[in-house]
Amino acid sequence: MTLPVVLISEEEIQTRVGELAEQLSTDYGETDDLVLVGVLKGSFIFLADLSRRLTIPRTIEFIAVSSYGSNSTSTGAVRLVMDVRGNIEGKHVLIVEDIVDTGHTLKYLIGMLESHRPASVKTCALVRKAERAEVEVQTDYLGFDIGDEWVVGYGLDYAEKNRTLPYIGIVTPDD
Ligand code: IMP
Ligand code: MG
C-alpha cells in the first residue's frame, strides 16, 4: 500500500498550530471560561496539540456528528450523534474542527451550540476547502486553505484509514 502524498508537512502543521495557539491565547486572554469543543472524530489530534499549546485556562468538551458514511459523498444532512456533556451556558465556546468542506457541518454546529446559550461561539478549523463551500459559514481561526482534494492524516481519515499520519496527505477516493 502506498502512503498518501504529502500536502502539508508535519513541521508546517506544528508551526501553524503554535501560531493559532498564540493568537487564541491573546484573543481569549481576558476570559477564564473558554471551552474548546472538539468535533469527533477528526479533530482529536488537532485539539490535543492546540489545547496543550494554549497559555490560558480552558476546558475541553466533545461533540460528535455524522454527515458522511464511509465514502466521500456529502449529503448535506448533518446528524447529532453526541452532544456536549458539560454546561456551556455563559461560556466562550470555540468549536475545533478538522476540516471545513461544504460548510454544512460547521453551520449546523454553530446553531446547535448557540441553543445552549453560551456567551459566544467561534470556530477554529485546521483545513478549509474554500472552493467547495455550499453555505456561508465563518471560520474565525484557520490553519490552511487547500484545493478540492481528499486529505487524510493528523486526525483526518478516508474510510477510517490514515488518521494517525503526522502529516496531511492526499488520497484519491475510489468511490
Ligand atoms: P462539510 O459539512 O461538507 O463541511 O464536511 C465536513 C466534514 O466532512 C469534516 O468534518 C470531515 O469529517 C469530512 N471531510 C470533508 N472533507 C474531508 C477530507 O478531505 N478528508 C477527510 N474528511 C473530510
Ligand atoms: Mg469533522
Side-chain angles (χ1 to χ4, degrees), residues 39-43 65 67 96-100 105 109 156:
V39 186
L40 293 173
K41 302 175 194 172
S43 75
V65 288
S67 53
V96 180
E97 176 62 303
D98 53 357
I99 188 165
V100 184
T105 304
L109 284 173
L156 293 151

Side-chain angles (χ1 to χ4, degrees), residues 41 65-75 79 150-152 156-161 163 171-175:
K41 302 175 194 172
V65 288
S66 103
S67 53
Y68 292 79
S70 60
N71 58 35
S72 55
T73 314
S74 174
T75 57
R79 190 167 58 92
W150 196 264
V151 287
V152 294
L156 293 151
D157 74 307
Y158 177 63
E160 293 302 324
K161 291 200 190 79
R163 276 195 204 278
V171 289
T172 313
D174 51 21
D175 63 350

